[in-house]
Amino acid sequence: MLTGRRYLLAFTPEQETLAELIGDACRAVWNTALEQRRAYRQRGAFTGYVEQARQLAEAKKDFPWLAEAPSHTLQQTLRDLEKACKTRGTFKVRWRSKRKSPPSFRSPTLDTWLSSACHTGGAG
């Protein structure tokens, strides 16, 4: 049985800034990818994770703020969107709003990220 973990973290101010940057980038990727999927569906076409992940890699070259976020968290956002669209349908999936929901992201390697980004000094 696979299980997940949910963390509520107490960040330093620098870590909080980084986490907000990552959350904002993930929200932008989610909303852009959702809009693209809806536009494709209206034309009777389809785009999925593989194509959008390729386009994401290209977009990171053009948008430095996007390149600052870890690739695996942005790719996980696309995977989550893929699952949501398959489960609920492309037009029933909601936008992510900055006002209505706090910045959030999922990371397939969160334990590694936590150990490198969140531990300070000898505390552990």
Side-chain angles (χ1 to χ4, degrees):
M1 172 190 251
L2 296 175
T3 61
R5 294 186 177 116
R6 181 173 285 198
Y7 296 94
L8 181 60
L9 305 171
F11 289 127
T12 65
E14 296 83 18
Q15 293 167 340
E16 186 175 347
T17 301
L18 176 62
E20 286 179 8
L21 176 114
I22 294 169
D24 290 345
C26 289
R27 185 181 60 253
V29 166
W30 175 281
N31 290 341
T32 302
L34 179 58
E35 169 128 359
Q36 183 183 45
R37 284 173 178 258
R38 287 177 175 175
Y40 269 71
R41 295 296 294 158
Q42 287 175 340
R43 290 183 289 171
F46 173 80
T47 188
Y49 167 76
V50 174
E51 176 62 21
Q52 288 185 317
R54 185 190 63 74
Q55 292 173 357
L56 175 62
E58 292 174 10
K60 289 181 82 167
K61 295 174 187 172
D62 298 330
F63 301 100
W65 61 270
L66 196 56
E68 291 175 13
S71 295
H72 60 277
T73 57
L74 300 177
Q75 292 167 356
Q76 186 65 48
T77 298
L78 290 176
R79 286 186 191 101
D80 292 342
L81 178 62
E82 175 98 358
K83 184 177 179 182
C85 288
K86 284 183 178 180
T87 303
R88 296 184 204 128
T90 303
F91 291 97
K92 291 186 179 180
V93 175
R94 294 181 173 249
W95 294 90
R96 292 201 174 162
S97 168
K98 188 170 187 167
R99 290 184 319 199
K100 291 184 180 180
S101 59
S104 66
F105 57 90
R106 286 184 353 120
S107 172
T109 58
L110 183 61
D111 293 330
T112 304
W113 186 79
L114 287 174
S115 64
S116 65
C118 296
H119 290 279
T120 58

